[in-house]
Amino acid sequence: MDIAAEYLRDLPEQFEKLKSLADKAVARVSDEEFFREIDQASNSLAVILQHVGGNLRSRWRDFLTTDGEKPDRDRDGEFVASDRTRQEVLEVWEAGWRVLLDELRALAPADLARDVFIRGERHSVVRAANRSFQHTAYHVGQIVFLARHFRAGDWQSLSIPKRSPQNARNTQKI
């Protein structure tokens, strides 16, 4: 098995699974819920999507040739509830994902031996990709949690639903 080729085949698929979970969760909330913060220390779904979109765009645009923290990125601004509409926030989200997936699909196995930089710090391509995946997964978990919280009364599982007590197997200890 060519591990490098397998990794480059699998990584975009795994990112797409994360995106699909987040997209399905966000599609279930109202506009009011999309922009709601559950408390002053928390981010709204809109803010999280802005941040992830901005992060992916910055990290992955010209991934192999420029620092992952682009000078035109306004990271602090990503965490401000702006006057953007839901559609505008979703456009930022989608743009980040397009950059990520295009760059991932353009990588060749030999690229995995290269180094890239994030905020001036050297990373292997594998480390930078795994770091981005971990960061994105963290925020997708937040997105799903918030959407589920807001839609608790009519939430339909995005994956395998929890078993109800009447469907649970007998778990008596012997």
Side-chain angles (χ1 to χ4, degrees):
M1 174 188 283
D2 181 346
I3 297 298
E6 176 65 14
Y7 179 75
L8 292 175
R9 183 199 61 73
D10 187 59
L11 191 58
E13 289 179 20
Q14 296 306 316
F15 269 106
E16 287 174 327
K17 287 177 184 178
L18 290 177
K19 183 178 186 302
S20 177
L21 280 173
D23 287 342
K24 288 174 186 174
V26 167
R28 295 180 182 188
V29 301
S30 68
D31 286 349
E32 186 272 325
E33 292 162 336
F34 185 75
F35 290 99
R36 183 188 304 162
E37 295 173 349
I38 58 174
D39 57 50
Q40 290 183 341
S42 297
N43 294 310
S44 67
L45 288 164
V47 165
I48 297 169
L49 268 68
Q50 278 181 162
H51 169 62
V52 172
N55 177 273
L56 292 175
R57 179 182 160 276
S58 183
R59 294 289 182 266
W60 289 93
R61 189 178 68 202
D62 303 321
F63 175 67
L64 293 174
T65 58
T66 63
D67 191 285
E69 189 65 21
K70 304 296 185 285
D72 64 345
R73 181 179 183 202
D74 179 12
R75 183 185 183 281
D76 290 341
E78 294 165 10
F79 291 95
V80 175
S82 68
D83 59 354
R84 285 186 171 146
T85 65
R86 181 180 182 138
Q87 184 57 41
E88 289 168 333
V89 170
L90 291 174
E91 287 170 8
V92 170
W93 166 257
E94 292 294 337
W97 282 96
R98 273 192 304 279
V99 170
L100 161 75
L101 293 170
D102 287 349
E103 288 288 324
L104 278 179
R105 290 182 181 120
L107 291 175
D111 293 326
L112 296 180
R114 295 177 64 174
D115 288 329
V116 295
F117 291 85
I118 302 171
R119 295 188 183 120
E121 181 183 341
R122 181 184 305 271
H123 291 69
S124 69
V125 165
V126 171
R127 182 176 179 210
N130 289 344
R131 175 180 166 167
S132 182
F133 185 82
Q134 182 275 328
H135 177 256
T136 304
Y138 170 83
H139 286 302
V140 168
Q142 292 176 321
I143 291 165
V144 173
F145 173 83
L146 284 173
R148 185 173 178 173
H149 171 77
F150 293 142
R151 306 305 308 165
D154 62 354
W155 184 257
Q156 297 292 316
S157 178
L158 299 175
S159 60
I160 300 169
K162 227 191 304 188
R163 284 192 265 170
S164 63
Q166 54 271 44
N167 291 337
R169 291 185 198 165
N170 183 347
T171 57
Q172 278 184 326
K173 293 185 180 184
I174 299 174

